[in-house]
mmCIF file of all heavy atoms in Angstrom:
data_model
loop_
_atom_site.group_PDB
_atom_site.id
_atom_site.type_symbol
_atom_site.label_atom_id
_atom_site.label_comp_id
_atom_site.label_asym_id
_atom_site.label_seq_id
_atom_site.Cartn_x
_atom_site.Cartn_y
_atom_site.Cartn_z
ATOM 1 N N PRO A 354 -7.982 9.396 0.214
ATOM 2 C CA PRO A 354 -8.157 10.791 -0.163
ATOM 3 C C PRO A 354 -9.535 11.137 -0.783
ATOM 4 O O PRO A 354 -10.003 12.234 -0.600
ATOM 5 C CB PRO A 354 -6.999 11.080 -1.123
ATOM 6 C CG PRO A 354 -5.970 10.060 -0.740
ATOM 7 C CD PRO A 354 -6.712 8.813 -0.290
ATOM 8 N N VAL A 359 -12.620 13.224 3.956
ATOM 9 C CA VAL A 359 -11.337 13.960 3.784
ATOM 10 C C VAL A 359 -11.638 15.342 3.186
ATOM 11 O O VAL A 359 -11.840 15.462 1.938
ATOM 12 C CB VAL A 359 -10.349 13.171 2.951
ATOM 13 C CG1 VAL A 359 -9.031 13.951 2.822
ATOM 14 C CG2 VAL A 359 -10.052 11.814 3.596
ATOM 15 N N VAL A 396 2.562 14.209 -4.667
ATOM 16 C CA VAL A 396 1.425 15.076 -4.293
ATOM 17 C C VAL A 396 1.975 16.430 -3.788
ATOM 18 O O VAL A 396 1.378 17.460 -4.172
ATOM 19 C CB VAL A 396 0.642 14.393 -3.197
ATOM 20 C CG1 VAL A 396 -0.375 15.338 -2.535
ATOM 21 C CG2 VAL A 396 -0.106 13.179 -3.849
ATOM 22 N N ALA A 399 3.040 18.580 -6.748
ATOM 23 C CA ALA A 399 1.902 19.036 -7.504
ATOM 24 C C ALA A 399 1.180 20.170 -6.729
ATOM 25 O O ALA A 399 0.581 21.067 -7.346
ATOM 26 C CB ALA A 399 0.906 17.870 -7.808
ATOM 27 N N ALA A 400 1.133 20.014 -5.394
ATOM 28 C CA ALA A 400 0.428 21.043 -4.567
ATOM 29 C C ALA A 400 1.326 22.267 -4.266
ATOM 30 O O ALA A 400 0.870 23.199 -3.634
ATOM 31 C CB ALA A 400 0.024 20.373 -3.268
ATOM 32 N N GLU A 414 -5.795 26.736 1.179
ATOM 33 C CA GLU A 414 -5.419 26.496 -0.192
ATOM 34 C C GLU A 414 -4.433 25.325 -0.312
ATOM 35 O O GLU A 414 -4.526 24.486 -1.163
ATOM 36 C CB GLU A 414 -4.859 27.791 -0.827
ATOM 37 C CG GLU A 414 -5.848 28.874 -1.046
ATOM 38 C CD GLU A 414 -6.259 29.609 0.254
ATOM 39 O OE1 GLU A 414 -5.520 29.449 1.294
ATOM 40 O OE2 GLU A 414 -7.266 30.284 0.212
ATOM 41 N N ASP A 415 -3.460 25.312 0.568
ATOM 42 C CA ASP A 415 -2.462 24.229 0.575
ATOM 43 C C ASP A 415 -3.174 22.874 0.831
ATOM 44 O O ASP A 415 -2.907 21.889 0.137
ATOM 45 C CB ASP A 415 -1.427 24.408 1.681
ATOM 46 C CG ASP A 415 -0.559 25.593 1.501
ATOM 47 O OD1 ASP A 415 -0.272 25.914 0.278
ATOM 48 O OD2 ASP A 415 -0.056 26.168 2.454
ATOM 49 N N LEU A 416 -4.077 22.830 1.845
ATOM 50 C CA LEU A 416 -4.743 21.581 2.159
ATOM 51 C C LEU A 416 -5.607 21.103 1.074
ATOM 52 O O LEU A 416 -5.702 19.911 0.695
ATOM 53 C CB LEU A 416 -5.569 21.743 3.475
ATOM 54 C CG LEU A 416 -4.739 22.055 4.694
ATOM 55 C CD1 LEU A 416 -5.685 22.442 5.874
ATOM 56 C CD2 LEU A 416 -3.844 20.864 5.073
ATOM 57 N N ASN A 417 -6.326 22.020 0.418
ATOM 58 C CA ASN A 417 -7.181 21.711 -0.705
ATOM 59 C C ASN A 417 -6.349 21.158 -1.859
ATOM 60 O O ASN A 417 -6.778 20.156 -2.581
ATOM 61 C CB ASN A 417 -7.996 22.904 -1.171
ATOM 62 C CG ASN A 417 -8.998 22.545 -2.233
ATOM 63 O OD1 ASN A 417 -9.910 21.742 -1.997
ATOM 64 N ND2 ASN A 417 -8.825 23.144 -3.375
ATOM 65 N N ALA A 418 -5.155 21.749 -2.109
ATOM 66 C CA ALA A 418 -4.326 21.292 -3.164
ATOM 67 C C ALA A 418 -3.748 19.939 -2.859
ATOM 68 O O ALA A 418 -3.620 19.058 -3.788
ATOM 69 C CB ALA A 418 -3.154 22.340 -3.371
ATOM 70 N N ILE A 419 -3.460 19.628 -1.627
ATOM 71 C CA ILE A 419 -2.949 18.287 -1.245
ATOM 72 C C ILE A 419 -4.029 17.225 -1.493
ATOM 73 O O ILE A 419 -3.766 16.155 -2.083
ATOM 74 C CB ILE A 419 -2.500 18.310 0.232
ATOM 75 C CG1 ILE A 419 -1.224 19.105 0.364
ATOM 76 C CG2 ILE A 419 -2.322 16.892 0.762
ATOM 77 C CD1 ILE A 419 -0.770 19.338 1.808
ATOM 78 N N ILE A 420 -5.269 17.552 -1.038
ATOM 79 C CA ILE A 420 -6.311 16.560 -1.263
ATOM 80 C C ILE A 420 -6.621 16.289 -2.708
ATOM 81 O O ILE A 420 -6.687 15.165 -3.193
ATOM 82 C CB ILE A 420 -7.639 17.051 -0.515
ATOM 83 C CG1 ILE A 420 -7.421 17.084 0.990
ATOM 84 C CG2 ILE A 420 -8.800 16.113 -0.849
ATOM 85 C CD1 ILE A 420 -8.501 17.799 1.752
ATOM 86 N N SER A 421 -6.779 17.385 -3.493
ATOM 87 C CA SER A 421 -7.202 17.230 -4.878
ATOM 88 C C SER A 421 -6.100 16.600 -5.718
ATOM 89 O O SER A 421 -6.409 15.718 -6.561
ATOM 90 C CB SER A 421 -7.509 18.610 -5.480
ATOM 91 O OG SER A 421 -6.464 19.489 -5.436
ATOM 92 N N ASN A 422 -4.829 16.909 -5.402
ATOM 93 C CA ASN A 422 -3.740 16.256 -6.143
ATOM 94 C C ASN A 422 -3.534 14.824 -5.722
ATOM 95 O O ASN A 422 -3.088 13.962 -6.521
ATOM 96 C CB ASN A 422 -2.464 17.085 -5.969
ATOM 97 C CG ASN A 422 -2.442 18.281 -6.912
ATOM 98 O OD1 ASN A 422 -2.329 18.133 -8.132
ATOM 99 N ND2 ASN A 422 -2.615 19.447 -6.288
ATOM 100 N N ALA A 423 -3.781 14.468 -4.422
ATOM 101 C CA ALA A 423 -3.688 13.099 -3.965
ATOM 102 C C ALA A 423 -4.705 12.247 -4.729
ATOM 103 O O ALA A 423 -4.357 11.168 -5.179
ATOM 104 C CB ALA A 423 -3.960 13.023 -2.476
ATOM 105 N N ILE A 424 -5.906 12.722 -4.920
ATOM 106 C CA ILE A 424 -6.944 12.042 -5.657
ATOM 107 C C ILE A 424 -6.501 11.836 -7.116
ATOM 108 O O ILE A 424 -6.548 10.772 -7.683
ATOM 109 C CB ILE A 424 -8.295 12.760 -5.592
ATOM 110 C CG1 ILE A 424 -8.787 12.751 -4.118
ATOM 111 C CG2 ILE A 424 -9.299 12.111 -6.501
ATOM 112 C CD1 ILE A 424 -9.994 13.647 -3.893
ATOM 113 N N LYS A 425 -6.097 12.955 -7.721
ATOM 114 C CA LYS A 425 -5.728 12.894 -9.096
ATOM 115 C C LYS A 425 -4.508 11.944 -9.402
ATOM 116 O O LYS A 425 -4.578 11.123 -10.320
ATOM 117 C CB LYS A 425 -5.374 14.346 -9.565
ATOM 118 C CG LYS A 425 -4.876 14.449 -11.017
ATOM 119 C CD LYS A 425 -4.509 15.902 -11.331
ATOM 120 C CE LYS A 425 -3.961 16.038 -12.764
ATOM 121 N NZ LYS A 425 -3.559 17.425 -13.028
ATOM 122 N N ILE A 426 -3.522 12.058 -8.552
ATOM 123 C CA ILE A 426 -2.288 11.288 -8.798
ATOM 124 C C ILE A 426 -2.550 9.749 -8.547
ATOM 125 O O ILE A 426 -2.138 8.897 -9.316
ATOM 126 C CB ILE A 426 -1.143 11.835 -7.967
ATOM 127 C CG1 ILE A 426 -0.704 13.127 -8.567
ATOM 128 C CG2 ILE A 426 0.026 10.850 -7.914
ATOM 129 C CD1 ILE A 426 0.266 13.949 -7.685
ATOM 130 N N LEU A 427 -3.232 9.434 -7.446
ATOM 131 C CA LEU A 427 -3.496 8.063 -7.130
ATOM 132 C C LEU A 427 -4.384 7.410 -8.159
ATOM 133 O O LEU A 427 -4.148 6.273 -8.598
ATOM 134 C CB LEU A 427 -4.112 7.908 -5.749
ATOM 135 C CG LEU A 427 -3.206 8.169 -4.561
ATOM 136 C CD1 LEU A 427 -3.962 8.093 -3.241
ATOM 137 C CD2 LEU A 427 -2.006 7.236 -4.522
ATOM 138 N N LYS A 428 -5.379 8.115 -8.629
ATOM 139 C CA LYS A 428 -6.272 7.552 -9.624
ATOM 140 C C LYS A 428 -5.514 7.364 -10.930
ATOM 141 O O LYS A 428 -5.761 6.317 -11.614
ATOM 142 C CB LYS A 428 -7.524 8.451 -9.815
ATOM 143 C CG LYS A 428 -8.492 8.320 -8.615
ATOM 144 C CD LYS A 428 -9.807 8.992 -8.926
ATOM 145 C CE LYS A 428 -10.804 8.744 -7.808
ATOM 146 N NZ LYS A 428 -12.139 9.414 -8.073
#
Side-chain angles (χ1 to χ4, degrees):
V359 180
V396 166
E414 291 75 16
D415 293 331
L416 296 172
N417 186 62
I419 287 171
I420 295 169
S421 61
N422 281 289
I424 295 170
K425 178 182 176 181
I426 289 169
L427 288 178
K428 286 189 173 181

